[in-house]
Amino acid sequence: MFTFDPITTSATRLQALKIYQANHEYYDVIGDDQPTLVTVLNDAKEVPLGKTKTSKHFRLIKQDDQVIGVCDWITGYPDEHDVYLGLLMIADQHQGLGHQVMAQLFDQWRKERYTKVELGVVATNTKALNFWPQLGFKEIRKSPFQFQNGHVAEVIVMERTL
C-alpha cells in the first residue's frame, strides 16, 4: 500500500526534487533544463483556470516510508466527476510501481465517486505513450500545450473510465 503525502514543506520539496532529477528524460522530452526547486514550486501552485487550491493534490508517493515518486492530480476537472492527472513520476521505473500506484489511485477515486480520469502526454514521450494504454487509457484528442518554460509541444489527451 502506498501513502500520498502533501508536498508543502522545504523537506518534502527537496524529496520531490530528487524524484524529478531521477526522471531527467522527461525534462529532455518537454524541452526543459534539468529541474530545480523552482520547478517543484511552480508545479505546486499550478492549477487550471477556474479551479482552486483545494482541488489540487500534489503528493509524494511513499512505500514503507520510502519516497518512490511524485503525483499531481486535480479533482473535479475538467468536469465535476473527473480527475485530471497532471503528473506521475516514479524514481525506479520498470519495476511495476507505476501500475500499482495507479491501481490504488483508481480505487480511491472510485470511492470518492469520480467516474473518469484524463491526462495529457507529450507526443514525443514514447515511454508514456506505451505506459498509459496498458492501464486502459485511450486517446481522445491532440492539442498544443505551452509549458512553463515557453516550450510548445503537441500533447495527446487520453482518458479512462473508472
Side-chain angles (χ1 to χ4, degrees):
M1 179 169 220
F2 301 96
T3 57
F4 300 91
D5 295 350
I7 301 170
T8 55
T9 66
S10 295
T12 56
R13 287 182 199 108
L14 283 171
Q15 290 174 307
L17 179 58
K18 287 180 183 177
I19 300 298
Y20 281 32
Q21 291 170 334
N23 285 272
H24 57 86
E25 291 176 9
Y26 171 76
Y27 292 93
D28 293 340
V29 166
I30 67 169
D32 207 349
D33 295 327
Q34 292 306 305
T36 65
L37 274 176
V38 172
T39 312
V40 176
L41 290 168
N42 286 340
D43 285 352
K45 66 183 178 184
E46 191 173 319
V47 294
L49 190 61
K51 296 308 293 180
T52 63
K53 288 272 189 192
T54 58
S55 306
K56 182 165 181 83
H57 307 272
F58 188 47
R59 303 285 194 256
L60 289 176
I61 306 166
K62 290 185 174 181
Q63 183 180 42
D64 301 324
D65 289 324
Q66 180 181 355
V67 176
I68 62 147
V70 174
C71 195
D72 180 25
W73 68 89
I74 306 289
T75 53
Y77 184 80
D79 294 315
E80 180 182 348
H81 298 287
D82 297 348
V83 174
Y84 188 87
L85 183 64
L87 180 68
L88 174 67
M89 280 191 182
I90 304 295
D92 294 321
Q93 297 179 10
H94 309 293
Q95 305 296 315
L97 294 173
H99 288 261
Q100 294 170 39
V101 166
M102 291 311 303
Q104 184 175 326
L105 285 172
F106 292 155
D107 287 343
Q108 175 185 321
W109 294 333
R110 268 191 225 91
K111 289 175 185 167
E112 294 170 357
R113 303 213 186 277
Y114 293 102
T115 58
K116 184 176 68 177
V117 181
E118 189 172 298
L119 55 83
V121 177
V122 176
T124 57
N125 189 344
T126 54
K127 285 184 180 182
L129 289 172
N130 289 323
F131 175 77
W132 293 112
Q134 293 175 25
L135 294 174
F137 282 86
K138 305 246 186 277
E139 179 180 330
I140 57 171
R141 70 179 174 279
K142 294 179 182 177
S143 62
F145 180 81
Q146 184 170 358
F147 290 90
Q148 294 171 2
N149 65 359
H151 178 77
V152 177
E154 181 178 58
V155 169
I156 297 171
V157 180
M158 304 175 95
E159 72 178 16
R160 176 196 196 276
T161 302
L162 292 171

